[in-house]
Amino acid sequence: MGTATRSSTCRKPSESMRLIVTTFIGFNLPSGLLPSIDLSYIEDKYTGASPWSVTKKNRSSSSQDQYLNGTFKIWVPSNPRGAERLPPGIVEAESDLYLRRLWGKPSEDLTSKPKYLVTFTVGYDQKKNIDAAVKKFSENFTILLFHYDGRTTEWDEFEWSKRAIHVSARKQTKWWYAKRFLHPDVVAPYDYIFIWDEDLGVEHFNAEEYLRLVRKHGLEISQPGLEPNKGLTWQMTKRRGDREVHKETEEKPGWCTDPHLPPCAAFVEIMAPVFSRDAWRCVWHMIQNDLVHGWGLDFALRKCVEVSVVILP
């Protein structure tokens, strides 16, 4: 399907590991601070009252209407946590990363809405590699750069950077950013989320073709296959040219306690994972708030999918 490259430890593009499209199957406030909520009460849901009239009634009603016997009324039991008392017509449970204009009609903000999100955690020294990688992704992708070196404005030398989203926090890793800026409700508009390192080479990578295969095989968590120039850590992530996908492999003696578990099966590395919307909603909750490099997280990703890892050639 295509190949990409990954730089060696010293991050020199000339000493890169070739990465081929691999794919992996998928798979409060303390209770004492608030009165209890009466889930049996649904205000005017079936009376035909409009959300606005209910809202106005709520504003003008007495304290008894809003708070009875130590119990808050609830508009809709299925409202998001914290919004139980809001009329359903004004609940906005999700957000997004689409950029908005400072003035004008909101309806004119977006001529099209990207279906996918790709993120890179970057330093300016890798600008050439990132420029090459970003150009592999079409306008169907929102580009989000997490800057660990604090340098953001310099990226405007690239035209695509002016349309990208830039988030800067010094000396943080991609899992720190992911936990804080990629909440499942924020990235919900995207079908797939790419969370990639900065030192991946993608000379032969085709993002649209990759996602075609992901959909074809129903993959929930995946990554491009590796074609290393200087060795490979895991055989599972190595490119195979004899099939579209594979889900099991043989590792070095003693490296697998069970041939049906990572890293011999159900395994994708943390350097270039691709998550479906539903898989990411699960994985996000698994990421520790103080997670740094993320080593070992890739052994647990399978908990968020129903089937094992598969690699695309």
Side-chain angles (χ1 to χ4, degrees):
M1 147 90 209
T3 60
T5 59
R6 177 174 173 82
S7 301
S8 62
T9 304
C10 61
R11 300 180 183 242
K12 295 180 180 179
S14 60
E15 299 178 2
S16 58
M17 175 186 296
R18 306 207 69 172
L19 201 206
I20 305 196
V21 175
T22 4
T23 304
F24 161 96
I25 275 195
F27 31 77
N28 322 297
L29 286 175
S31 57
L33 296 182
L34 292 175
S36 61
I37 294 175
D38 181 7
L39 294 178
S40 65
Y41 187 90
I42 304 178
E43 175 73 25
D44 291 335
K45 180 171 177 57
Y46 301 105
T47 64
S50 69
W52 179 243
S53 64
V54 170
T55 303
K56 290 199 296 184
K57 172 186 175 183
N58 197 23
R59 290 175 177 170
S60 62
S61 61
S62 67
S63 59
Q64 281 187 332
D65 285 334
Q66 299 187 36
Y67 186 68
L68 299 173
N69 301 322
T71 302
F72 279 119
K73 288 183 178 182
I74 186 165
W75 299 103
V76 179
S78 59
N79 273 8
R81 179 182 166 204
E84 293 89 354
R85 285 172 283 162
L86 294 178
I90 63 172
V91 171
E92 287 288 342
E94 297 177 351
S95 184
D96 59 55
L97 292 173
Y98 301 135
L99 299 177
R100 303 291 177 175
R101 62 176 61 203
L102 297 179
W103 52 81
K105 296 180 180 179
S107 60
E108 297 175 355
D109 283 347
L110 302 168
T111 56
S112 64
K113 293 184 178 181
K115 299 169 59 178
Y116 319 114
L117 173 68
V118 57
T119 76
F120 295 95
T121 301
V122 303
Y124 189 64
D125 290 343
Q126 285 283 349
K127 65 176 183 177
K128 291 184 178 179
N129 200 57
I130 293 298
D131 178 50
V134 166
K135 289 176 179 176
K136 292 290 183 175
F137 295 91
S138 70
E139 293 183 355
N140 281 330
F141 290 81
T142 293
I143 306 298
L144 172 55
L145 299 188
F146 296 128
H147 300 270
Y148 59 75
D149 62 355
R151 302 176 67 180
T152 58
T153 57
E154 293 97 324
W155 289 82
D156 280 350
E157 67 181 89
F158 303 113
E159 187 61 31
W160 56 261
S161 176
K162 300 173 184 178
R163 301 186 302 273
I165 299 169
H166 300 263
V167 176
S168 178
R170 291 180 179 273
K171 298 182 179 180
Q172 301 304 309
T173 67
K174 73 177 181 180
W175 299 112
W176 184 92
Y177 290 108
K179 188 66 173 179
R180 287 153 183 82
F181 297 101
L182 300 181
H183 188 280
D185 287 347
V186 174
V187 300
Y190 300 104
D191 294 342
Y192 294 95
I193 299 99
F194 292 59
I195 304 179
W196 282 16
D197 288 355
E198 64 181 343
D199 55 350
L200 295 169
V202 290
E203 294 91 339
H204 304 288
F205 179 74
N206 183 314
E208 297 286 352
E209 177 65 11
Y210 177 83
L211 289 176
R212 184 189 70 80
L213 290 175
V214 166
R215 286 193 171 92
K216 176 182 177 180
H217 294 280
L219 309 181
E220 296 293 331
I221 303 177
S222 60
Q223 77 166 81
L226 295 171
E227 188 169 284
N229 289 342
K230 301 186 68 174
L232 183 74
T233 302
W234 305 108
Q235 292 300 311
M236 171 56 74
T237 59
K238 185 177 181 179
R239 178 202 179 210
R240 295 187 184 181
D242 60 342
R243 67 196 76 176
E244 281 190 340
V245 298
H246 73 270
K247 62 181 180 179
E248 296 181 355
T249 192
E250 292 185 7
E251 283 292 347
K252 299 174 184 177
W255 283 40
C256 289
T257 58
D258 187 322
H260 303 296
L261 294 178
C264 282
F267 184 70
V268 156
E269 287 191 276
I270 59 173
M271 63 181 178
V274 178
F275 303 94
S276 71
R277 179 193 299 111
D278 291 340
W280 177 245
R281 183 169 292 277
C282 174
V283 172
W284 184 90
H285 285 282
M286 189 167 57
I287 299 173
Q288 298 164 256
N289 197 52
D290 59 354
L291 187 67
V292 180
H293 298 294
W295 297 322
L297 178 64
D298 38 16
F299 281 79
L301 294 178
R302 65 187 180 88
K303 296 180 181 295
C304 286
V305 294
E306 296 181 357
V307 283
S308 301
V309 71
V310 177
I311 310 251
L312 297 176

